[in-house]
Amino acid sequence: MESFGADQFDDDHTEERKQKMTYFNWWNFALCSGLILGVTVIVYVQDHVNWGVSYIVLTVVMAVSLVIFFMGRPFYRYRAATGSPLTPL
């Protein structure tokens, strides 16, 4: 996901390069927030409420994230593959 998001910006344009930096800031913020919530809130719910409720919460969060991802599909930029994928290695 991270590299796919980075492909949405054109490095040749100054404004898009700035937007790419903002994207990585938000990506890192969301990643850290999800990690903190996962090891605090979900564990608290598992210990004090019920394991089933925590699974439902996680399922709902995953479903919402998938819906948001698929809603954005018409706006994604796709780069055509060129050359061998092993060349950078």
Side-chain angles (χ1 to χ4, degrees):
M1 284 293 295
E2 185 176 6
S3 60
F4 182 73
D7 282 345
Q8 304 305 306
F9 303 98
D10 188 6
D11 287 332
D12 296 334
H13 292 91
T14 307
E15 188 61 34
E16 287 198 25
R17 203 172 315 129
K18 291 178 186 176
Q19 290 174 348
K20 187 176 186 179
M21 291 170 45
T22 302
Y23 164 76
F24 280 112
N25 288 335
W26 279 106
W27 173 268
N28 193 28
F29 173 75
L31 188 68
C32 292
S33 298
L35 189 107
I36 288 171
L37 290 173
V39 298
T40 56
V41 174
I42 297 299
V43 172
Y44 178 83
V45 170
Q46 287 175 342
D47 287 343
H48 293 90
V49 181
N50 189 349
W51 277 76
V53 173
S54 65
Y55 288 143
I56 291 170
V57 169
L58 292 173
T59 302
V60 168
V61 168
M62 187 59 154
V64 168
S65 66
L66 284 171
V67 166
I68 291 170
F69 178 75
F70 286 120
M71 283 176 55
R73 278 188 82 184
F75 306 104
Y76 297 151
R77 294 180 186 172
Y78 296 97
R79 289 192 180 181
T82 57
S84 171
L86 300 177
T87 302
L89 298 177

